[in-house]
Amino acid sequence: MVKNIGLVFADSMEYSPFLAYAGEKGGEEFKLRGNDAVTFTLDKGDRRLVVTGVKCGIGKVNAASATSFLISDRSAEYILNAGLSGAVSGLKREDMVAAESYVECDYDLTAIGYGLGVKPDGQEYILKADERLLSYAMQSKGIIKAKVGTGDIFLTDSVRKKLYLDTFGIGAFDMETAAIASVCEKCGVPMLSVRKISDDADDCSVEDYREMNDRQESCLTELLESIMLRLLGDDSQW
């Protein structure tokens, strides 16, 4: 029995620890529509999980495109995302987060009468993580469940931060997750993002983010591995 899973990473520092892990598993590097990618397999008995990780580049368009390629070209039946995020509320630097919901905070049609983030024609705009993948993540020690917001900005503005908190009740903010969730929702593909808090989305954010990003820590890769192994061991998914 074979299943395919795709993993999305924004930048080189977030991708490098996963690439090293893939190398230990005999991973083969290739280009996925111009994006750096690597593939390998995880096996358990007669079950085989074909894993493809891709470095998409920072931002919503890059993330959405790479997710689409994983689903269309690599037949991904599950999507995972990992990276760094800024804290908005109830979280602190170094916290590990499993995102329970995703919203595009910078989607703004307020000028024509819609609420911030609200999409026309009845489109869902607050998207949910897959409950099963979320449960796998929450089995790891110290993981915090939180609502996550996304926008094509590096958030350092306290006024905007308060607006997003008051409007959406988010705990963390990043530049990719809601775009990934949107593609997965349209394609009917289960999705989960896991994040490490790098900064407080304030005027110290750039320095704090760079310091943590430069560490190229393996903790997110370790969490991703635990999720994939739990998927492999879950009889209901095979």
Side-chain angles (χ1 to χ4, degrees):
M1 293 182 285
V2 178
K3 289 187 177 293
N4 299 286
I5 187 167
L7 289 82
V8 182
F9 303 87
D11 70 14
S12 296
M13 300 300 190
E14 294 169 340
Y15 179 63
S16 291
F18 180 79
L19 183 61
Y21 166 74
E24 295 171 0
K25 301 295 182 182
E28 297 181 5
E29 295 185 60
F30 69 105
K31 291 289 186 180
L32 180 60
R33 307 264 189 132
N35 296 302
D36 290 344
V38 63
T39 188
F40 60 95
T41 62
L42 295 174
D43 298 295
K44 183 176 183 180
D46 65 346
R47 298 172 183 175
R48 170 163 289 190
L49 189 62
V50 180
V51 182
T52 302
V54 62
K55 182 181 73 174
C56 66
I58 295 170
K60 292 194 297 183
V61 171
N62 286 328
S65 297
T67 303
S68 298
F69 301 154
L70 285 167
I71 294 170
S72 64
D73 295 14
R74 304 295 295 182
S75 302
E77 299 161 82
Y78 308 88
I79 293 289
L80 296 175
N81 162 249
L84 302 181
S85 288
V88 174
S89 176
L91 297 167
K92 63 184 184 302
R93 198 164 186 253
E94 305 284 349
D95 281 346
M96 295 281 285
V97 173
E100 63 180 319
S101 65
Y102 315 89
V103 60
E104 290 179 66
C105 297
D106 64 345
Y107 189 95
D108 190 349
L109 293 181
T110 56
I112 56 174
Y114 291 89
L116 185 64
V118 178
K119 298 185 177 184
D121 303 320
Q123 295 179 70
E124 293 290 340
Y125 68 96
I126 298 177
L127 303 174
K128 303 293 185 182
D130 178 73
E131 287 294 334
R132 191 175 300 276
L133 294 177
L134 181 59
S135 73
Y136 297 157
M138 295 305 296
Q139 291 175 45
S140 293
K141 184 178 179 180
I143 306 302
I144 301 169
K145 185 163 55 175
K147 299 176 181 177
V148 172
T150 297
D152 270 328
I153 52 172
F154 191 96
L155 186 59
T156 60
D157 181 341
S158 60
V159 174
R160 191 189 297 263
K161 176 178 173 178
K162 184 177 186 303
L163 172 64
Y164 291 166
L165 174 60
D166 292 346
T167 304
F168 305 111
I170 58 173
F173 184 88
D174 65 72
M175 297 181 67
E176 292 85 27
T177 56
I180 296 168
S182 180
V183 174
C184 290
E185 191 269 340
K186 288 178 171 62
C187 295
V189 173
M191 174 264 179
L192 177 71
S193 177
V194 293
R195 292 270 161 172
K196 185 167 186 177
I197 300 301
S198 60
D199 59 83
D200 290 321
D202 57 17
D203 55 8
C204 296
S205 293
V206 173
E207 181 179 345
D208 289 345
Y209 165 80
R210 284 176 173 163
E211 186 273 329
M212 186 174 288
N213 202 34
D214 287 347
R215 293 185 205 167
Q216 300 183 51
E217 296 175 305
S218 62
C219 52
L220 285 168
T221 293
E222 291 163 3
L223 179 55
L224 292 171
E225 180 187 42
S226 72
I227 293 169
M228 292 189 290
L229 292 177
R230 289 180 181 120
L231 173 59
L232 264 175
D234 187 346
D235 294 344
S236 69
Q237 296 298 288
W238 295 84

PDB file of all heavy atoms in Angstrom, residues 54-93:
ATOM      1  N   VAL A  54       9.376  20.347  -0.557  1.00  0.00           N
ATOM      2  CA  VAL A  54       9.703  21.383  -1.536  1.00  0.00           C
ATOM      3  C   VAL A  54       9.988  22.707  -0.835  1.00  0.00           C
ATOM      4  O   VAL A  54       9.334  23.058   0.149  1.00  0.00           O
ATOM      5  CB  VAL A  54       8.574  21.547  -2.575  1.00  0.00           C
ATOM      6  CG1 VAL A  54       7.272  21.985  -1.925  1.00  0.00           C
ATOM      7  CG2 VAL A  54       8.970  22.517  -3.678  1.00  0.00           C
ATOM      8  N   LYS A  55      10.994  23.414  -1.314  1.00  0.00           N
ATOM      9  CA  LYS A  55      11.279  24.777  -0.861  1.00  0.00           C
ATOM     10  C   LYS A  55      10.585  25.732  -1.826  1.00  0.00           C
ATOM     11  O   LYS A  55      10.965  25.844  -2.984  1.00  0.00           O
ATOM     12  CB  LYS A  55      12.785  25.029  -0.843  1.00  0.00           C
ATOM     13  CG  LYS A  55      13.159  26.422  -0.330  1.00  0.00           C
ATOM     14  CD  LYS A  55      14.669  26.637  -0.348  1.00  0.00           C
ATOM     15  CE  LYS A  55      15.185  26.809  -1.766  1.00  0.00           C
ATOM     16  NZ  LYS A  55      16.622  27.167  -1.821  1.00  0.00           N
ATOM     17  N   CYS A  56       9.573  26.432  -1.336  1.00  0.00           N
ATOM     18  CA  CYS A  56       8.700  27.185  -2.247  1.00  0.00           C
ATOM     19  C   CYS A  56       9.100  28.641  -2.415  1.00  0.00           C
ATOM     20  O   CYS A  56       8.735  29.274  -3.407  1.00  0.00           O
ATOM     21  CB  CYS A  56       7.248  27.109  -1.760  1.00  0.00           C
ATOM     22  SG  CYS A  56       6.928  27.937  -0.196  1.00  0.00           S
ATOM     23  N   GLY A  57       9.809  29.226  -1.423  1.00  0.00           N
ATOM     24  CA  GLY A  57      10.009  30.664  -1.408  1.00  0.00           C
ATOM     25  C   GLY A  57       8.977  31.316  -0.495  1.00  0.00           C
ATOM     26  O   GLY A  57       7.897  30.778  -0.256  1.00  0.00           O
ATOM     27  N   ILE A  58       9.318  32.488   0.024  1.00  0.00           N
ATOM     28  CA  ILE A  58       8.482  33.161   1.018  1.00  0.00           C
ATOM     29  C   ILE A  58       7.250  33.772   0.361  1.00  0.00           C
ATOM     30  O   ILE A  58       7.310  34.321  -0.734  1.00  0.00           O
ATOM     31  CB  ILE A  58       9.307  34.235   1.744  1.00  0.00           C
ATOM     32  CG1 ILE A  58      10.426  33.582   2.556  1.00  0.00           C
ATOM     33  CG2 ILE A  58       8.428  35.102   2.644  1.00  0.00           C
ATOM     34  CD1 ILE A  58      11.441  34.555   3.118  1.00  0.00           C
ATOM     35  N   GLY A  59       6.113  33.695   1.045  1.00  0.00           N
ATOM     36  CA  GLY A  59       4.906  34.398   0.608  1.00  0.00           C
ATOM     37  C   GLY A  59       3.799  33.500   0.117  1.00  0.00           C
ATOM     38  O   GLY A  59       3.989  32.320  -0.185  1.00  0.00           O
ATOM     39  N   LYS A  60       2.609  34.091   0.025  1.00  0.00           N
ATOM     40  CA  LYS A  60       1.395  33.330  -0.255  1.00  0.00           C
ATOM     41  C   LYS A  60       1.375  32.734  -1.660  1.00  0.00           C
ATOM     42  O   LYS A  60       0.988  31.573  -1.834  1.00  0.00           O
ATOM     43  CB  LYS A  60       0.161  34.223  -0.055  1.00  0.00           C
ATOM     44  CG  LYS A  60      -0.082  34.617   1.390  1.00  0.00           C
ATOM     45  CD  LYS A  60      -1.469  35.198   1.609  1.00  0.00           C
ATOM     46  CE  LYS A  60      -1.688  36.475   0.843  1.00  0.00           C
ATOM     47  NZ  LYS A  60      -3.017  37.074   1.111  1.00  0.00           N
ATOM     48  N   VAL A  61       1.768  33.483  -2.660  1.00  0.00           N
ATOM     49  CA  VAL A  61       1.730  32.962  -4.036  1.00  0.00           C
ATOM     50  C   VAL A  61       2.694  31.796  -4.190  1.00  0.00           C
ATOM     51  O   VAL A  61       2.348  30.753  -4.765  1.00  0.00           O
ATOM     52  CB  VAL A  61       2.038  34.082  -5.051  1.00  0.00           C
ATOM     53  CG1 VAL A  61       2.206  33.492  -6.447  1.00  0.00           C
ATOM     54  CG2 VAL A  61       0.923  35.122  -5.058  1.00  0.00           C
ATOM     55  N   ASN A  62       3.898  31.959  -3.676  1.00  0.00           N
ATOM     56  CA  ASN A  62       4.872  30.866  -3.749  1.00  0.00           C
ATOM     57  C   ASN A  62       4.364  29.616  -3.046  1.00  0.00           C
ATOM     58  O   ASN A  62       4.491  28.497  -3.552  1.00  0.00           O
ATOM     59  CB  ASN A  62       6.196  31.303  -3.109  1.00  0.00           C
ATOM     60  CG  ASN A  62       6.980  32.262  -3.965  1.00  0.00           C
ATOM     61  OD1 ASN A  62       6.928  32.209  -5.189  1.00  0.00           O
ATOM     62  ND2 ASN A  62       7.722  33.154  -3.331  1.00  0.00           N
ATOM     63  N   ALA A  63       3.785  29.795  -1.870  1.00  0.00           N
ATOM     64  CA  ALA A  63       3.298  28.657  -1.091  1.00  0.00           C
ATOM     65  C   ALA A  63       2.129  27.972  -1.785  1.00  0.00           C
ATOM     66  O   ALA A  63       2.061  26.731  -1.845  1.00  0.00           O
ATOM     67  CB  ALA A  63       2.895  29.118   0.304  1.00  0.00           C
ATOM     68  N   ALA A  64       1.204  28.764  -2.307  1.00  0.00           N
ATOM     69  CA  ALA A  64       0.050  28.188  -2.996  1.00  0.00           C
ATOM     70  C   ALA A  64       0.483  27.437  -4.254  1.00  0.00           C
ATOM     71  O   ALA A  64      -0.017  26.341  -4.537  1.00  0.00           O
ATOM     72  CB  ALA A  64      -0.952  29.285  -3.352  1.00  0.00           C
ATOM     73  N   SER A  65       1.421  27.999  -4.996  1.00  0.00           N
ATOM     74  CA  SER A  65       1.895  27.349  -6.218  1.00  0.00           C
ATOM     75  C   SER A  65       2.548  26.009  -5.906  1.00  0.00           C
ATOM     76  O   SER A  65       2.245  24.990  -6.533  1.00  0.00           O
ATOM     77  CB  SER A  65       2.898  28.248  -6.943  1.00  0.00           C
ATOM     78  OG  SER A  65       2.303  29.455  -7.353  1.00  0.00           O
ATOM     79  N   ALA A  66       3.447  25.999  -4.927  1.00  0.00           N
ATOM     80  CA  ALA A  66       4.142  24.759  -4.587  1.00  0.00           C
ATOM     81  C   ALA A  66       3.174  23.697  -4.095  1.00  0.00           C
ATOM     82  O   ALA A  66       3.325  22.508  -4.409  1.00  0.00           O
ATOM     83  CB  ALA A  66       5.208  25.036  -3.532  1.00  0.00           C
ATOM     84  N   THR A  67       2.188  24.109  -3.321  1.00  0.00           N
ATOM     85  CA  THR A  67       1.174  23.163  -2.844  1.00  0.00           C
ATOM     86  C   THR A  67       0.417  22.563  -4.016  1.00  0.00           C
ATOM     87  O   THR A  67       0.172  21.341  -4.060  1.00  0.00           O
ATOM     88  CB  THR A  67       0.205  23.859  -1.875  1.00  0.00           C
ATOM     89  OG1 THR A  67       0.946  24.432  -0.788  1.00  0.00           O
ATOM     90  CG2 THR A  67      -0.809  22.885  -1.325  1.00  0.00           C
ATOM     91  N   SER A  68       0.056  23.386  -4.963  1.00  0.00           N
ATOM     92  CA  SER A  68      -0.642  22.896  -6.164  1.00  0.00           C
ATOM     93  C   SER A  68       0.216  21.890  -6.925  1.00  0.00           C
ATOM     94  O   SER A  68      -0.284  20.863  -7.405  1.00  0.00           O
ATOM     95  CB  SER A  68      -0.997  24.069  -7.081  1.00  0.00           C
ATOM     96  OG  SER A  68      -1.872  24.964  -6.452  1.00  0.00           O
ATOM     97  N   PHE A  69       1.523  22.176  -7.037  1.00  0.00           N
ATOM     98  CA  PHE A  69       2.421  21.258  -7.750  1.00  0.00           C
ATOM     99  C   PHE A  69       2.531  19.919  -7.016  1.00  0.00           C
ATOM    100  O   PHE A  69       2.571  18.858  -7.655  1.00  0.00           O
ATOM    101  CB  PHE A  69       3.817  21.879  -7.890  1.00  0.00           C
ATOM    102  CG  PHE A  69       3.853  23.194  -8.620  1.00  0.00           C
ATOM    103  CD1 PHE A  69       4.873  24.110  -8.368  1.00  0.00           C
ATOM    104  CD2 PHE A  69       2.883  23.524  -9.552  1.00  0.00           C
ATOM    105  CE1 PHE A  69       4.920  25.320  -9.040  1.00  0.00           C
ATOM    106  CE2 PHE A  69       2.913  24.748 -10.227  1.00  0.00           C
ATOM    107  CZ  PHE A  69       3.940  25.634  -9.964  1.00  0.00           C
ATOM    108  N   LEU A  70       2.596  19.958  -5.693  1.00  0.00           N
ATOM    109  CA  LEU A  70       2.671  18.717  -4.922  1.00  0.00           C
ATOM    110  C   LEU A  70       1.427  17.861  -5.133  1.00  0.00           C
ATOM    111  O   LEU A  70       1.505  16.634  -5.243  1.00  0.00           O
ATOM    112  CB  LEU A  70       2.855  19.018  -3.433  1.00  0.00           C
ATOM    113  CG  LEU A  70       4.244  19.482  -3.011  1.00  0.00           C
ATOM    114  CD1 LEU A  70       4.215  20.054  -1.598  1.00  0.00           C
ATOM    115  CD2 LEU A  70       5.259  18.347  -3.101  1.00  0.00           C
ATOM    116  N   ILE A  71       0.284  18.506  -5.212  1.00  0.00           N
ATOM    117  CA  ILE A  71      -0.960  17.762  -5.393  1.00  0.00           C
ATOM    118  C   ILE A  71      -1.114  17.269  -6.825  1.00  0.00           C
ATOM    119  O   ILE A  71      -1.470  16.111  -7.065  1.00  0.00           O
ATOM    120  CB  ILE A  71      -2.165  18.641  -4.972  1.00  0.00           C
ATOM    121  CG1 ILE A  71      -2.103  18.922  -3.457  1.00  0.00           C
ATOM    122  CG2 ILE A  71      -3.487  17.960  -5.333  1.00  0.00           C
ATOM    123  CD1 ILE A  71      -3.085  19.970  -2.980  1.00  0.00           C
ATOM    124  N   SER A  72      -0.802  18.129  -7.793  1.00  0.00           N
ATOM    125  CA  SER A  72      -1.019  17.753  -9.196  1.00  0.00           C
ATOM    126  C   SER A  72       0.083  16.861  -9.748  1.00  0.00           C
ATOM    127  O   SER A  72      -0.190  15.872 -10.446  1.00  0.00           O
ATOM    128  CB  SER A  72      -1.150  19.009 -10.067  1.00  0.00           C
ATOM    129  OG  SER A  72       0.057  19.761 -10.067  1.00  0.00           O
ATOM    130  N   ASP A  73       1.340  17.181  -9.436  1.00  0.00           N
ATOM    131  CA  ASP A  73       2.476  16.472 -10.034  1.00  0.00           C
ATOM    132  C   ASP A  73       2.943  15.276  -9.206  1.00  0.00           C
ATOM    133  O   ASP A  73       3.467  14.312  -9.751  1.00  0.00           O
ATOM    134  CB  ASP A  73       3.662  17.420 -10.216  1.00  0.00           C
ATOM    135  CG  ASP A  73       3.382  18.531 -11.209  1.00  0.00           C
ATOM    136  OD1 ASP A  73       2.212  18.741 -11.573  1.00  0.00           O
ATOM    137  OD2 ASP A  73       4.342  19.212 -11.620  1.00  0.00           O
ATOM    138  N   ARG A  74       2.777  15.365  -7.903  1.00  0.00           N
ATOM    139  CA  ARG A  74       3.281  14.325  -7.004  1.00  0.00           C
ATOM    140  C   ARG A  74       2.153  13.547  -6.333  1.00  0.00           C
ATOM    141  O   ARG A  74       2.419  12.695  -5.466  1.00  0.00           O
ATOM    142  CB  ARG A  74       4.192  14.933  -5.933  1.00  0.00           C
ATOM    143  CG  ARG A  74       5.364  15.732  -6.491  1.00  0.00           C
ATOM    144  CD  ARG A  74       6.354  14.876  -7.257  1.00  0.00           C
ATOM    145  NE  ARG A  74       7.027  13.911  -6.389  1.00  0.00           N
ATOM    146  CZ  ARG A  74       7.965  13.084  -6.817  1.00  0.00           C
ATOM    147  NH1 ARG A  74       8.343  13.097  -8.087  1.00  0.00           N
ATOM    148  NH2 ARG A  74       8.526  12.224  -5.982  1.00  0.00           N
ATOM    149  N   SER A  75       0.921  13.824  -6.696  1.00  0.00           N
ATOM    150  CA  SER A  75      -0.258  13.104  -6.185  1.00  0.00           C
ATOM    151  C   SER A  75      -0.329  13.108  -4.667  1.00  0.00           C
ATOM    152  O   SER A  75      -0.745  12.121  -4.042  1.00  0.00           O
ATOM    153  CB  SER A  75      -0.263  11.659  -6.704  1.00  0.00           C
ATOM    154  OG  SER A  75      -0.250  11.622  -8.110  1.00  0.00           O
ATOM    155  N   ALA A  76       0.057  14.239  -4.054  1.00  0.00           N
ATOM    156  CA  ALA A  76       0.052  14.330  -2.596  1.00  0.00           C
ATOM    157  C   ALA A  76      -1.366  14.169  -2.052  1.00  0.00           C
ATOM    158  O   ALA A  76      -2.292  14.872  -2.478  1.00  0.00           O
ATOM    159  CB  ALA A  76       0.641  15.654  -2.140  1.00  0.00           C
ATOM    160  N   GLU A  77      -1.516  13.258  -1.104  1.00  0.00           N
ATOM    161  CA  GLU A  77      -2.803  13.000  -0.457  1.00  0.00           C
ATOM    162  C   GLU A  77      -2.908  13.679   0.900  1.00  0.00           C
ATOM    163  O   GLU A  77      -3.993  13.716   1.509  1.00  0.00           O
ATOM    164  CB  GLU A  77      -3.000  11.496  -0.305  1.00  0.00           C
ATOM    165  CG  GLU A  77      -3.019  10.757  -1.636  1.00  0.00           C
ATOM    166  CD  GLU A  77      -2.748   9.277  -1.471  1.00  0.00           C
ATOM    167  OE1 GLU A  77      -3.713   8.549  -1.139  1.00  0.00           O
ATOM    168  OE2 GLU A  77      -1.591   8.853  -1.670  1.00  0.00           O
ATOM    169  N   TYR A  78      -1.787  14.196   1.377  1.00  0.00           N
ATOM    170  CA  TYR A  78      -1.698  14.970   2.611  1.00  0.00           C
ATOM    171  C   TYR A  78      -0.665  16.065   2.370  1.00  0.00           C
ATOM    172  O   TYR A  78       0.297  15.862   1.633  1.00  0.00           O
ATOM    173  CB  TYR A  78      -1.226  14.119   3.790  1.00  0.00           C
ATOM    174  CG  TYR A  78      -1.986  12.844   4.030  1.00  0.00           C
ATOM    175  CD1 TYR A  78      -1.615  11.663   3.375  1.00  0.00           C
ATOM    176  CD2 TYR A  78      -3.052  12.802   4.922  1.00  0.00           C
ATOM    177  CE1 TYR A  78      -2.301  10.480   3.596  1.00  0.00           C
ATOM    178  CE2 TYR A  78      -3.743  11.621   5.144  1.00  0.00           C
ATOM    179  CZ  TYR A  78      -3.367  10.463   4.478  1.00  0.00           C
ATOM    180  OH  TYR A  78      -4.049   9.292   4.697  1.00  0.00           O
ATOM    181  N   ILE A  79      -0.857  17.215   3.020  1.00  0.00           N
ATOM    182  CA  ILE A  79       0.114  18.295   2.952  1.00  0.00           C
ATOM    183  C   ILE A  79       0.473  18.728   4.366  1.00  0.00           C
ATOM    184  O   ILE A  79      -0.407  18.971   5.207  1.00  0.00           O
ATOM    185  CB  ILE A  79      -0.431  19.512   2.177  1.00  0.00           C
ATOM    186  CG1 ILE A  79      -0.641  19.180   0.698  1.00  0.00           C
ATOM    187  CG2 ILE A  79       0.513  20.714   2.322  1.00  0.00           C
ATOM    188  CD1 ILE A  79       0.614  18.990  -0.122  1.00  0.00           C
ATOM    189  N   LEU A  80       1.778  18.842   4.627  1.00  0.00           N
ATOM    190  CA  LEU A  80       2.286  19.406   5.867  1.00  0.00           C
ATOM    191  C   LEU A  80       3.125  20.636   5.528  1.00  0.00           C
ATOM    192  O   LEU A  80       3.760  20.696   4.479  1.00  0.00           O
ATOM    193  CB  LEU A  80       3.151  18.399   6.624  1.00  0.00           C
ATOM    194  CG  LEU A  80       2.471  17.126   7.124  1.00  0.00           C
ATOM    195  CD1 LEU A  80       3.503  16.189   7.745  1.00  0.00           C
ATOM    196  CD2 LEU A  80       1.378  17.456   8.137  1.00  0.00           C
ATOM    197  N   ASN A  81       3.109  21.593   6.426  1.00  0.00           N
ATOM    198  CA  ASN A  81       3.938  22.794   6.288  1.00  0.00           C
ATOM    199  C   ASN A  81       4.634  23.041   7.617  1.00  0.00           C
ATOM    200  O   ASN A  81       4.072  22.762   8.674  1.00  0.00           O
ATOM    201  CB  ASN A  81       3.056  23.994   5.913  1.00  0.00           C
ATOM    202  CG  ASN A  81       3.742  25.332   6.171  1.00  0.00           C
ATOM    203  OD1 ASN A  81       3.337  26.070   7.062  1.00  0.00           O
ATOM    204  ND2 ASN A  81       4.763  25.643   5.411  1.00  0.00           N
ATOM    205  N   ALA A  82       5.853  23.557   7.551  1.00  0.00           N
ATOM    206  CA  ALA A  82       6.581  23.898   8.769  1.00  0.00           C
ATOM    207  C   ALA A  82       7.407  25.146   8.525  1.00  0.00           C
ATOM    208  O   ALA A  82       7.911  25.376   7.419  1.00  0.00           O
ATOM    209  CB  ALA A  82       7.484  22.743   9.199  1.00  0.00           C
ATOM    210  N   GLY A  83       7.560  25.956   9.580  1.00  0.00           N
ATOM    211  CA  GLY A  83       8.366  27.157   9.471  1.00  0.00           C
ATOM    212  C   GLY A  83       8.298  27.973  10.742  1.00  0.00           C
ATOM    213  O   GLY A  83       7.809  27.512  11.779  1.00  0.00           O
ATOM    214  N   LEU A  84       8.777  29.205  10.659  1.00  0.00           N
ATOM    215  CA  LEU A  84       8.788  30.115  11.798  1.00  0.00           C
ATOM    216  C   LEU A  84       7.623  31.095  11.698  1.00  0.00           C
ATOM    217  O   LEU A  84       7.179  31.436  10.609  1.00  0.00           O
ATOM    218  CB  LEU A  84      10.105  30.885  11.845  1.00  0.00           C
ATOM    219  CG  LEU A  84      11.381  30.044  11.925  1.00  0.00           C
ATOM    220  CD1 LEU A  84      12.604  30.953  11.987  1.00  0.00           C
ATOM    221  CD2 LEU A  84      11.358  29.101  13.124  1.00  0.00           C
ATOM    222  N   SER A  85       7.137  31.534  12.865  1.00  0.00           N
ATOM    223  CA  SER A  85       6.019  32.479  12.927  1.00  0.00           C
ATOM    224  C   SER A  85       6.261  33.500  14.025  1.00  0.00           C
ATOM    225  O   SER A  85       6.996  33.244  14.982  1.00  0.00           O
ATOM    226  CB  SER A  85       4.697  31.743  13.223  1.00  0.00           C
ATOM    227  OG  SER A  85       4.259  31.002  12.126  1.00  0.00           O
ATOM    228  N   GLY A  86       5.581  34.632  13.898  1.00  0.00           N
ATOM    229  CA  GLY A  86       5.603  35.646  14.938  1.00  0.00           C
ATOM    230  C   GLY A  86       4.446  35.450  15.901  1.00  0.00           C
ATOM    231  O   GLY A  86       3.341  35.069  15.493  1.00  0.00           O
ATOM    232  N   ALA A  87       4.675  35.723  17.181  1.00  0.00           N
ATOM    233  CA  ALA A  87       3.627  35.612  18.189  1.00  0.00           C
ATOM    234  C   ALA A  87       2.723  36.840  18.145  1.00  0.00           C
ATOM    235  O   ALA A  87       3.201  37.971  18.045  1.00  0.00           O
ATOM    236  CB  ALA A  87       4.246  35.463  19.575  1.00  0.00           C
ATOM    237  N   VAL A  88       1.423  36.600  18.234  1.00  0.00           N
ATOM    238  CA  VAL A  88       0.445  37.687  18.305  1.00  0.00           C
ATOM    239  C   VAL A  88      -0.203  37.728  19.679  1.00  0.00           C
ATOM    240  O   VAL A  88      -0.350  38.782  20.286  1.00  0.00           O
ATOM    241  CB  VAL A  88      -0.621  37.542  17.198  1.00  0.00           C
ATOM    242  CG1 VAL A  88      -1.728  38.587  17.358  1.00  0.00           C
ATOM    243  CG2 VAL A  88       0.025  37.664  15.819  1.00  0.00           C
ATOM    244  N   SER A  89      -0.594  36.552  20.193  1.00  0.00           N
ATOM    245  CA  SER A  89      -1.239  36.502  21.503  1.00  0.00           C
ATOM    246  C   SER A  89      -1.093  35.118  22.113  1.00  0.00           C
ATOM    247  O   SER A  89      -1.265  34.112  21.422  1.00  0.00           O
ATOM    248  CB  SER A  89      -2.731  36.842  21.366  1.00  0.00           C
ATOM    249  OG  SER A  89      -3.402  36.715  22.593  1.00  0.00           O
ATOM    250  N   GLY A  90      -0.791  35.074  23.421  1.00  0.00           N
ATOM    251  CA  GLY A  90      -0.782  33.825  24.158  1.00  0.00           C
ATOM    252  C   GLY A  90       0.384  32.909  23.851  1.00  0.00           C
ATOM    253  O   GLY A  90       0.392  31.758  24.304  1.00  0.00           O
ATOM    254  N   LEU A  91       1.357  33.379  23.090  1.00  0.00           N
ATOM    255  CA  LEU A  91       2.518  32.574  22.722  1.00  0.00           C
ATOM    256  C   LEU A  91       3.789  33.367  22.981  1.00  0.00           C
ATOM    257  O   LEU A  91       3.763  34.604  23.027  1.00  0.00           O
ATOM    258  CB  LEU A  91       2.453  32.170  21.246  1.00  0.00           C
ATOM    259  CG  LEU A  91       1.275  31.284  20.837  1.00  0.00           C
ATOM    260  CD1 LEU A  91       1.160  31.216  19.320  1.00  0.00           C
ATOM    261  CD2 LEU A  91       1.420  29.886  21.431  1.00  0.00           C
ATOM    262  N   LYS A  92       4.891  32.647  23.094  1.00  0.00           N
ATOM    263  CA  LYS A  92       6.177  33.307  23.321  1.00  0.00           C
ATOM    264  C   LYS A  92       7.246  32.668  22.448  1.00  0.00           C
ATOM    265  O   LYS A  92       7.052  31.569  21.906  1.00  0.00           O
ATOM    266  CB  LYS A  92       6.577  33.226  24.794  1.00  0.00           C
ATOM    267  CG  LYS A  92       6.804  31.822  25.310  1.00  0.00           C
ATOM    268  CD  LYS A  92       7.104  31.829  26.793  1.00  0.00           C
ATOM    269  CE  LYS A  92       7.423  30.435  27.315  1.00  0.00           C
ATOM    270  NZ  LYS A  92       6.346  29.474  27.089  1.00  0.00           N
ATOM    271  N   ARG A  93       8.349  33.334  22.342  1.00  0.00           N
ATOM    272  CA  ARG A  93       9.463  32.851  21.534  1.00  0.00           C
ATOM    273  C   ARG A  93       9.887  31.459  21.992  1.00  0.00           C
ATOM    274  O   ARG A  93       9.930  31.188  23.184  1.00  0.00           O
ATOM    275  CB  ARG A  93      10.633  33.829  21.639  1.00  0.00           C
ATOM    276  CG  ARG A  93      11.666  33.685  20.538  1.00  0.00           C
ATOM    277  CD  ARG A  93      12.555  34.918  20.497  1.00  0.00           C
ATOM    278  NE  ARG A  93      13.456  34.856  19.359  1.00  0.00           N
ATOM    279  CZ  ARG A  93      14.763  34.619  19.437  1.00  0.00           C
ATOM    280  NH1 ARG A  93      15.323  34.422  20.621  1.00  0.00           N
ATOM    281  NH2 ARG A  93      15.507  34.601  18.362  1.00  0.00           N
TER     282      ARG A  93
END
